[in-house]
Every structure is written in structure tokens, then in C-alpha cells.
Amino acid sequence: MRNKRDIIIILLMLAACGVTIAQTARFRYFSYNGNDERFDKSINHNNQYFNPILAGYYPDPSICRKGDTYYLATSSFSFFPGVPVFTSKDMVNWTQTGHALDRDSQISLHNLGVSDGLFAPSLTYNEKNDTFYMLTMNMGKRSVFFVKTKDPAKGWSEPISLKAGGMDASFFFDNDGKAYIVYCTLPFGGPNYQGEMAIHMNQFCLSGDTVLSNKVELIRGGTHIERKPQWLEGPHLYHIGKYYYLMCAEGGTRSQHSEVIFRSKTLIGPWEEFKGNPILTQRNLTDAHRTDIVTSTGHADLIQTPEGDWWAVFLGCRPYEDDFYNTGRDTYLLPVKWKNNWPVILDAGKAVPTVTDKRNLQPANTFLTGNFAYTDRFENNKLNMQWIFLRNPQPDFYSLVGDGITLKSLPVNIMQKESPAAIFTRQQHTSFTAETEIVFTPQTEKEIAGMVLFQNEEYNFVFGKTLLNGKPTIILSRTEGTTIVIGSAIFSENQANQPLKLKVEGCGRYYSFYYAVAGGKWQPIAHGVDAVNLSTNRAGGFTGNVIGLYTTSNN
């Protein structure tokens, strides 16, 4: 066995030859505790549930059912694996079964911005051929494609590209066995005003997995056309009773977001507009300080239970003030009422309720909604499904060592549009605590390891251990276009190689950061730091804040 002196000599010889030895950081655990006032209520979990049903960055939900089992998918943008897929028996308690796109051969997210990548998946089950389809768009590559499977738990096919189809495409399988694709695109002849969009439809050949060329424009503009409605998107077709229904989002994905409905006795129209549109919105609620506020609701999908009841899943946001929210866009669930053969998700002027009644629920502790706490010690032989990567991960940059997870430093930092040595999980609460313990000995001032709070490349926090002026130092930097160091602490000589704990406490807009060395007491590095840079409104894009364990050799 080589002694320490031999190892040092070998490292020096390798360095002299230009060989770089990657530094490693070991994270012994990660703990998360969410404690929102919204969820601090006593409910009967057998007959009541909390909204949102998926808390945190789980937007653009799409739902389908096979038998008594429901399946749901949400957008993932430039995080990998792509498009998380969940199952449930009651539409409230969900278990993630995997991702529809979990292989490099299925999706390339290289060099894409965080909010590029995979948009608005449509998850559909065709009972005629007993097949599930997931149709989506890689916005950064401007490509529309789908994957399919007989069993979502067993993985999905390689992608099948479509030469037609625009944004937010979805499949529709009619009762006669015919298939169609509907999507958002520019109107025939071009828009007459800014934001005017249209919904087009093509027939789809199931046997050849191809789109036929018979394009039809179903709707142009949206509802109340005299008001010049904007951003008609997210279309879904349904055949219910004697009518076809076309449901779409309208108004953009922020505070003016809504859901509208049309119907026709034939697929090609004419389409009748519901006079009570929108059938879901929160834009007309004037009390910005109402309890358990939800905003920006829309992008819905309808589902019928085996008993014949109808429900809707949709996205919404939970701002802590004004239109600021760091948790991104969540998934919500509400019952659908029918009025004169029109579906209504939420009556005009009503707020999304936090607690809703639903019978025969099957409670499960899956850390997806409500207040909860968990600790991941990385004891399994693969990562838990809550962990995601930014873009396609570089091979073998992490290892599960039985006593935590080891990350190998890469010359990539989170400001670059590449995949860093980091694993991420969602911030799911407005009030939360996240904590980890790290073993790391930086060799240069380019190396850092610790935690990252990440909205995108230009809006984030980095909190970790590095060298500063040759001395081991904890630094906290905040990036909002420009990066500034807002806190630091130098290690004493006997602390330099000791395990280091890091903790973040978030409360609405303001976060506090702490550290502890060698099992000592928590020490503050910064109190009440403005974290509005992690809000979607400030940073832009479509994701929510994610919390990462991170190391780099390119600080």
C-alpha cells in the first residue's frame, strides 16, 4: 500500500505531465423540510386533499386513464431525465414511476437555456391499440416528437419525429378509431395582431406513426374575438356525448392565464364558443392579499372517472407577494361541473380552494404536497427519482458510496449552458429548510463545492467551500445578472479539513444561510437575503427554483 508521501509524488508527477486529477466532494446527506401555512390545516386525508396536488415545479399537467389507474405527466424543460410520469388510483396521491425520456438517445438538451427543452407534454392512452403516447416539443431544437409504450413503468420507445405540428401538440383518439393531432401555431395568412394564435388539426396515421397533410384551422384568436385575445395554446380535444369539445389555454401563462372551451357536432366545426368563458381563471380576483392565494391558473386537461365523474388538472402559482413565486408552477386538481352540456372547472370570481372534498382517497406519503420532511442519505444503488440533472449529464460524474454521494468536479459552472457536476431537487414550499453535510478540500480558488439555489444561469445563489487568498473559505454569492459575494467566513487552521454543514432557510422572499464545522453550532453567514432573483417573474422563463448539491473546478 502506498503511503501519503508516495501519493503526493505521483500527483505532482501527473500534474507536471499536464494530467488533471478531478477533485471530488462527498455529500453525506440532504434534508428538506417544508412548512407552509397553506398546508398547516387538519384534514381528513381519506376524504379531503390539498391543492396543489404536486407542489413545486410541475407545470403543464396532462392526464389519462387506463382502467382504474391514472397517469400524469408534466413539463421538464432542460432538466434531465425529461417529462416525469406519475400514477395514481385516486388522482390525489401520486407515485412517480419514472420519466418518459430517460436516455440520451431519446433527447438532446445540450447547450439549451433552462426554459428551452421539453414543453407541455401530452399524455394520452389509446384503448383501441392499448398504447400510451407522450407527445412533446423540444423548443430549443424546434422539434415535435412522441414516444410510446404499452406500460409506462417499463420505459418508453425511441422518439418518433413529426414533420407537422406546432407548440403544445396533443393526440386525440376518436371513438371510431381515427387519430388526430391538434396544436398551437400561427393562423393561416399570418396574425392580424400581436399574440393572435390559432389551433390547427391534422389526421394522424396510427399504422405508420405519421401525420397526414390535411391541415384544418379549428379556432383562430380565441374567445371574445372582438377583444383581440392572445396566446391561444395548450389545446385538447374530447368527444363527450353528442359534442366534440376543444379546450385551450388563453391569455399567456402568468396573471392573465385562463382556460376556455368550444364545442361542435363535427370535428371540423363550426365551433361554438361558451358564453361563460373562461371556465377557469384567477385573473379577475382583486384581493391580492387573500389567504392561500393562487394565480395564473390554466393549461388544463380533463379526465373522466370509471364512475362517470369529471375532473380537471391544471397549473397554478403560489405568490408570496405581488406576482413573485420561487416555487414555479404547480399542478392542481378540481372537480368539473356541467352546465347545459358545458364543462366548468371553477365558477367566475371564485378562488382555487386549498382543501377539496373527494371520497375514497388512498393516502400515501410521497413528498409531493402538504407539509413534509425527508432526509436522503443516498443509501440506495441509484438516485431517488426526485433528483434531476441540468441538461444531459456528463457520464460518471457521481457515485453512490454508501455514506452519501460523491460528485467529481467538472470544469463547468452553473453560469454555462452545459451540464455541471450537480444534482437538483425542487423547492416545493414557500417556507422551507434545506441542509447538507460536505467533505471537501479545495486545492485552488477555481474549485468550490456546496449548495446552489438555481432559477437559471443568470439568477441563482452559490453557497459553498473554496479557497480565497489561499485560505479555506465559505462564500455565499448572489447572481441577478451580476454576481456579488454577500457573505464569507474563513476557516481556522484546525477546521480546514473538517466536515462542513450548510443550511438554507427560506421564508417567502427572504432566505437565511448558515454553516457549522465539525459538528459545531450553526453560524449565520447571511440573514434575510433577498431571494426575489429566484422568482419566475424576476428571472423569466417557466421553471421554479431548484436546490442543488454542486461542485466545479471552474468557479
Side-chain angles (χ1 to χ4, degrees), residues 228-264:
K228 296 184 177 180
Q230 294 182 308
W231 314 124
L232 190 71
E233 58 190 3
H236 291 288
L237 269 172
Y238 312 91
H239 193 174
I240 305 169
K242 62 181 180 180
Y243 289 107
Y244 290 95
Y245 292 88
L246 175 61
M247 189 172 72
C248 306
E250 188 182 276
T253 61
R254 293 193 175 174
S255 60
Q256 297 302 300
H257 204 194
S258 69
E259 198 72 16
V260 297
I261 194 84
F262 308 85
R263 72 184 184 189
S264 172

Side-chain angles (χ1 to χ4, degrees), residues 97 107 133 187 205 239 242 282 311 330 341 378 429 461:
T97 59
I107 185 66
Y133 294 81
C205 174
H239 193 174
K242 62 181 180 180
Q282 299 286 274
W311 292 77
D330 315 286
N341 289 321
F378 306 102
H429 299 79
F461 287 89

Side-chain angles (χ1 to χ4, degrees), residues 54 70 72 85-89 92-98 364-366 368 385:
L54 301 182
Y70 301 91
L72 185 144
V85 178
F86 305 83
T87 63
S88 174
K89 294 292 186 180
V92 169
N93 298 285
W94 294 90
T95 300
Q96 187 171 350
T97 59
N365 189 16
T366 53
L368 290 170
M385 288 186 188

Side-chain angles (χ1 to χ4, degrees), residues 196-486:
E196 184 185 35
M197 302 297 290
I199 305 302
H200 289 181
M201 179 182 74
N202 290 69
Q203 193 169 351
F204 180 77
C205 174
L206 281 170
S207 60
D209 282 335
T210 56
V211 175
L212 303 181
S213 60
N214 54 338
K215 181 163 61 175
V216 177
E217 187 165 278
L218 302 182
I219 296 291
R220 179 185 180 121
T223 63
H224 305 293
I225 195 67
E226 71 281 358
R227 302 176 188 173
K228 296 184 177 180
Q230 294 182 308
W231 314 124
L232 190 71
E233 58 190 3
H236 291 288
L237 269 172
Y238 312 91
H239 193 174
I240 305 169
K242 62 181 180 180
Y243 289 107
Y244 290 95
Y245 292 88
L246 175 61
M247 189 172 72
C248 306
E250 188 182 276
T253 61
R254 293 193 175 174
S255 60
Q256 297 302 300
H257 204 194
S258 69
E259 198 72 16
V260 297
I261 194 84
F262 308 85
R263 72 184 184 189
S264 172
K265 291 187 177 179
T266 69
L267 260 178
I268 59 172
W271 290 90
E272 176 189 3
E273 175 186 337
F274 178 40
K275 294 180 180 179
N277 275 328
I279 61 172
L280 168 69
T281 192
Q282 299 286 274
R283 66 187 176 205
N284 297 322
L285 276 64
T286 57
D287 182 6
H289 302 288
R290 61 189 182 273
T291 302
D292 293 355
I293 184 171
V294 175
T295 65
S296 309
T297 54
H299 204 105
D301 197 3
L302 302 179
I303 191 69
Q304 187 179 30
T305 69
E307 296 76 27
D309 300 322
W310 285 89
W311 292 77
V313 292
F314 56 94
L315 70 80
C317 306
R318 294 171 284 150
Y320 45 78
E321 64 176 73
D322 299 327
D323 193 30
F324 297 127
Y325 46 89
N326 295 8
T327 45
R329 300 176 297 163
D330 315 286
T331 288
Y332 295 74
L333 173 75
L334 283 179
V336 174
K337 296 180 292 186
W338 287 85
K339 297 182 178 181
N340 299 319
N341 289 321
W342 290 102
V344 175
I345 300 171
L346 195 63
D347 290 328
K350 287 194 174 182
V352 174
T354 301
V355 178
T356 302
D357 294 334
K358 193 175 189 299
R359 295 172 296 171
N360 302 320
L361 299 180
Q362 303 175 32
N365 189 16
T366 53
F367 309 123
L368 290 170
T369 191
N371 286 329
F372 56 77
Y374 67 84
T375 296
D376 190 347
R377 300 189 181 279
F378 306 102
E379 296 170 326
N380 298 324
N381 58 7
K382 62 180 180 179
L383 283 173
N384 292 329
M385 288 186 188
Q386 87 248 21
W387 295 106
I388 50 179
F389 310 104
L390 183 55
R391 309 180 185 90
N392 299 67
Q394 299 194 36
D396 304 322
F397 82 87
Y398 75 92
S399 59
L400 299 166
V401 293
D403 183 22
I405 183 171
T406 294
L407 304 185
K408 181 170 61 177
S409 289
L410 298 171
V412 176
N413 63 49
I414 61 168
M415 312 297 183
Q416 300 172 264
K417 290 185 178 180
E418 299 179 40
S419 188
I423 61 172
F424 298 90
T425 190
R426 294 161 174 83
Q427 177 187 331
Q428 297 175 268
H429 299 79
T430 299
S431 296
F432 75 98
T433 299
E435 176 186 325
T436 191
E437 183 179 62
I438 182 174
V439 178
F440 176 66
T441 304
Q443 301 297 317
T444 74
E445 296 190 5
K446 286 287 189 179
E447 297 170 353
I448 190 170
M451 297 177 69
V452 58
L453 305 175
F454 185 80
Q455 178 65 240
N456 62 39
E457 296 88 359
E458 297 184 346
Y459 294 82
N460 54 70
F461 287 89
V462 175
F463 181 32
K465 183 179 180 182
T466 186
L467 286 182
L468 190 61
N469 298 321
K471 297 180 179 180
T473 305
I474 303 167
I475 66 164
L476 171 64
S477 65
R478 180 184 188 273
T479 299
E480 187 172 350
T482 301
T483 300
I484 59 172
V485 175
I486 57 176

